[in-house]
Amino acid sequence: KVQEMRDREFGGTKWEDTPVLQMSYDDIYSVIDLVKSAKVIINVAGPYMLTQGEIMIDACVHMGVHYCDISGEVPWTRRVMDLHKHAEDAGVHIIPSAAAAGGFPDLGVWLIAKKMREEYGEELRKAICYNSGGGASAGASGGTLATRSAMSTGGD
């Protein structure tokens, strides 16, 4: 799917031959090779809470590679937080949930709160964020559907 999207979106541009890298959690060497090839890993393949993604993040921490994902899965984010101290000690940034359902609204609210504090001396007490993207015709990916199923059947 990723190669098809690359070809569709970047065909005829200088990025049309950008390599698409793959790995498997069942093959630790493929994880290490992938992480060694990068400065930043942007993980867009969910569902996160049903994988062994901590293996990749642990490799990132040990190799000094930053990590970001587009999860909106609270259980996954809580698991990742256990690795925060190790990442901090290594000078590595781990950023889970940096997507429309997570990071972007959080960043927007933080910037607004900062501006209010700096310019008006006021603290933001409440924020309501509206987000739009894709529309009904965009549908949900297989990963999103698997995540919804896992979260609806899982415990707290």
Side-chain angles (χ1 to χ4, degrees), residues 61-123:
V61 169
H62 287 288
M63 293 182 218
V65 174
H66 304 293
Y67 172 90
C68 178
D69 70 45
I70 60 165
S71 165
E73 305 166 21
V74 173
W76 165 250
T77 300
R78 292 180 59 117
R79 281 176 26 203
V80 169
M81 290 178 72
D82 292 340
L83 298 169
H84 174 73
K85 178 68 173 135
H86 302 290
E88 193 173 52
D89 291 346
V92 171
H93 298 286
I94 297 175
I95 308 167
S97 298
F104 297 140
D106 292 347
L107 180 60
V109 170
W110 180 80
L111 289 169
I112 291 167
K114 181 177 183 260
K115 185 150 184 93
M116 287 188 62
R117 193 176 312 111
E118 291 171 356
E119 291 194 13
Y120 304 106
E122 296 286 333
E123 291 295 326

Side-chain angles (χ1 to χ4, degrees), residues 34-56:
L34 177 75
V35 172
K36 281 191 336 188
S37 74
K39 293 183 180 184
V40 177
I41 295 288
I42 302 172
N43 186 356
V44 297
Y48 300 86
M49 61 189 264
L50 299 179
T51 67
Q52 302 163 334
E54 293 94 330
I55 293 170
M56 181 187 295

